[in-house]
Amino acid sequence: CKVEGNVKKVYISKKGTVFLDFCYNYKICPFGVVIFKSYSDKFPNIKSYEHRDVYLKGLITVYKGKAEMILKNANQIEF
């Protein structure tokens, strides 16, 4: 699938998991992107994604009632 959107916030958890939020309040956002710590080194300057329009390629799954895409390679995201 392909998805287009504006990354409102990049959040990095204490465990190193990266979340790209497409709404200012992630709790009510219907879609999000996850980059697990084991893949995060493939995404240099991850904070530079904030406030940018992106195009994503990947499988959309449902987690806790919300659509999400897990990114594993930098070629899955374009600006």
Side-chain angles (χ1 to χ4, degrees):
C1 293
K2 280 190 164 187
V3 176
E4 175 183 353
N6 183 274
V7 178
K8 304 298 184 203
K9 183 177 179 183
V10 175
Y11 174 76
I12 303 172
S13 75
K14 291 179 183 177
K15 293 184 179 184
T17 303
V18 178
F19 298 91
L20 304 182
D21 296 328
F22 290 83
C23 301
Y24 288 108
N25 182 348
Y26 75 93
K27 292 179 181 180
I28 61 170
C29 200
F31 178 76
V33 171
V34 178
I35 303 169
F36 291 108
K37 182 180 180 180
S38 56
Y39 300 107
S40 63
D41 62 331
K42 296 180 180 182
F43 299 86
N45 300 318
I46 194 74
K47 281 291 207 174
S48 70
Y49 294 8
E50 278 188 346
H51 309 294
R52 293 189 71 181
D53 292 329
V54 295
Y55 302 90
L56 306 164
K57 295 179 280 185
L59 179 66
I60 296 174
T61 59
V62 176
Y63 179 74
K64 293 187 177 181
K66 295 182 183 182
E68 77 171 12
M69 184 180 290
I70 298 171
L71 300 184
K72 297 180 179 180
N73 293 296
N75 66 356
Q76 290 180 270
I77 188 167
E78 299 174 4
F79 300 100

